[in-house]
Amino acid sequence: MNTFGKLFTITSFGESHGAAVGGVIDGMPAGIEVDMDFIQSELARRRPGQSKITTSRNEADQVEILSGVFEGKTTGCPIGFMVRNTNQHSQDYENMRCLFRPSHADFTYHEKYGVRDHRGGGRSSARITISRCVAGAFAKLALKQLGIDIQAYTSQVGNIALDLDYKKYNLSLTETNTVRCPDPEKAKEMEELIMQIKGEGDTIGGTITCVIKGCPVGLGEPEFGKLHQSLGSAMLSINAVKGFEYGMGFNGLRLKGSEQNDLFVAGEPGATAERFGALKTNNSGGIQGGISNGEDIYFRVAFKPVATQLREQPTIDLEGNPTVLKAKGRHDPCVLPRAVPIVEAMAAITILDHYLISKTTKL
């Protein structure tokens, strides 16, 4: 499948070293003012070559809107867009034509389709996430009118981790450093670790935390369309993601039910206070029974280390014979800084999709 969503959808196309990457957004509400500077800035947060801890591939990632926008507003028609590839170094991948890179999609694509684009991973490349960021930017413009805000940040690199409680940090500091971490001291440590790992020709993983504020009560379906199910599916569709947890997640296993339950406190201010009072805690992560309860939604996404190593690795060729891979090219030593806007984009797409779905479930 190359389409994500039910009512608000994104269908993407393109390969890492092809002519362009792009997509079609369908279901975008009409009349939304389109801030092209904002959309371009979201791509700039994802683009390669933005700092010394990211790949040196130098792409402007300039988006071209082909349809669905007229006189600065969405028309309700499909929004076609394209970002041209201009800085491919396809020759760097020539030695990978006849072998499988360890922990990449080379082997599985080859076995499934019988053919694969070996240049930068082709369709399996993280460059394809450009389409998600464009769709996410449009979704954010719509969600802004609803008072819904989405903020993600790097919360762990290797063994350097922030506290699990996002409320302890000033999330406005996230974009003040190259790691996109709201703790300046931890950010410095993370950057130093990434640079050390890069110097070794190796890679490192970690986690991204995402917080959604202002989400109304009632998003999500009760059985096979649970909100956390959709968010999990969205996050696990991102390249290099290996895990998803929301609310207390696995840390809640250490608690008894009496310690983890979110109790109602009538009369105190909070997201649900207008009708029923506030919740004393938010261990549920803003979702109960698969449906949003009006509190902050927060979750964490685990990213594995980048599979490409700038050091020799044993592998096999297309005939199954043992060989050695010495990778060339330009690669991220850690995907987390550039993955932050991708996580936000997929969260925005999911929330807007569920918001539109919620409008069809009752009169």
Side-chain angles (χ1 to χ4, degrees):
M1 293 292 293
N2 297 294
T3 301
F4 182 84
K6 292 184 177 180
L7 294 185
F8 180 83
T9 66
I10 169 62
T11 301
S12 72
F13 69 82
E15 294 88 30
S16 177
H17 287 230
V21 174
V24 176
I25 302 167
D26 205 358
M28 180 70 183
I32 303 296
E33 291 191 11
V34 178
D35 184 344
M36 287 304 301
D37 289 338
F38 171 73
I39 294 172
Q40 195 60 54
S41 71
E42 290 294 274
L43 284 176
R45 296 171 68 209
R46 194 225 68 95
R47 72 180 290 271
Q50 59 183 274
S51 75
K52 61 184 178 182
I53 60 172
T54 64
T55 172
S56 60
R57 178 170 176 170
N58 188 18
E59 296 273 9
D61 287 351
Q62 188 69 40
V63 64
E64 302 173 40
I65 303 300
L66 308 176
S67 63
V69 177
F70 180 67
E71 294 184 341
K73 292 186 177 181
T74 58
T75 63
C77 297
I79 299 171
F81 64 89
M82 179 173 61
V83 174
R84 299 182 186 276
N85 295 327
T86 61
N87 192 235
Q88 310 97 309
H89 287 181
S90 299
Q91 68 276 7
D92 290 341
Y93 295 88
E94 195 57 34
N95 68 324
M96 304 177 196
R97 177 188 291 272
C98 297
L99 54 76
F100 300 123
R101 296 173 297 169
S103 287
H104 276 277
D106 297 351
F107 172 74
T108 51
Y109 267 56
H110 184 271
E111 290 299 295
K112 181 176 178 66
Y113 299 107
V115 62
R116 67 181 174 91
D117 183 347
H118 66 281
R119 304 167 304 168
R123 181 68 176 163
S124 67
S125 169
R127 183 156 180 77
I128 310 306
T129 57
I130 283 175
S131 300
R132 300 167 184 240
C133 287
V134 175
F138 274 95
K140 282 185 177 182
L141 291 174
L143 293 176
K144 183 178 181 181
Q145 296 196 10
L146 300 172
I148 300 174
D149 178 70
I150 299 173
Q151 172 76 69
Y153 60 91
T154 299
S155 51
Q156 182 171 350
V157 173
N159 60 0
I160 303 172
L162 272 59
D163 191 283
L164 293 177
D165 186 359
Y166 65 90
K167 294 181 180 178
K168 293 184 178 180
Y169 302 99
N170 179 359
L171 300 190
S172 67
L173 297 177
T174 298
E175 295 294 321
T176 62
N177 56 75
T178 58
V179 187
R180 295 198 162 93
C181 172
D183 184 322
E185 292 302 316
K186 289 287 187 180
K188 185 177 180 181
E189 293 178 30
M190 290 175 179
E191 181 175 338
E192 290 173 351
L193 176 60
I194 294 172
M195 288 301 297
Q196 174 192 330
I197 295 295
K198 179 180 180 181
E200 297 169 357
D202 216 326
T203 59
I204 193 74
T207 64
I208 289 175
T209 296
C210 186
V211 183
I212 304 172
K213 292 180 175 290
C215 189
V217 179
L219 302 194
E221 301 304 305
E223 189 56 28
F224 297 116
K226 292 179 171 66
L227 183 55
H228 60 271
Q229 170 194 342
S230 297
L231 285 168
S233 175
M235 299 307 141
L236 289 165
S237 74
I238 301 172
N239 307 55
V241 169
K242 288 296 184 180
F244 169 84
E245 63 174 353
Y246 73 102
M248 287 291 289
F250 289 108
N251 290 283
L253 301 178
R254 303 190 182 103
L255 303 178
K256 294 179 289 186
S258 58
E259 297 172 311
Q260 187 170 187
N261 282 352
D262 295 322
L263 304 179
F264 288 100
V265 183
E268 293 187 11
T272 56
E274 187 176 340
R275 294 184 64 191
F276 300 110
L279 294 176
K280 189 174 182 180
T281 56
N282 186 22
N283 296 325
S284 299
I287 303 171
Q288 292 170 325
I291 300 172
S292 61
N293 65 7
E295 299 293 324
D296 290 351
I297 296 171
Y298 62 96
F299 57 85
R300 289 168 295 281
V301 187
F303 286 79
K304 73 171 184 175
V306 176
T308 300
Q309 308 283 297
L310 295 182
R311 53 169 68 185
E312 290 189 350
Q313 292 188 89
T315 187
I316 58 173
D317 63 20
L318 300 186
E319 304 300 323
N321 301 311
T323 184
V324 174
L325 167 65
K326 181 61 169 76
K328 301 177 182 178
R330 302 157 295 176
H331 308 280
D332 288 284
C334 179
V335 299
L336 294 165
R338 294 176 60 209
V340 166
I342 303 170
V343 167
E344 290 181 2
M346 292 308 294
I349 292 168
T350 302
I351 294 298
L352 180 56
D353 192 30
H354 272 279
Y355 178 82
L356 296 174
I357 292 170
S358 74
K359 296 305 174 184
T360 69
T361 58
K362 62 182 179 179
L363 297 177

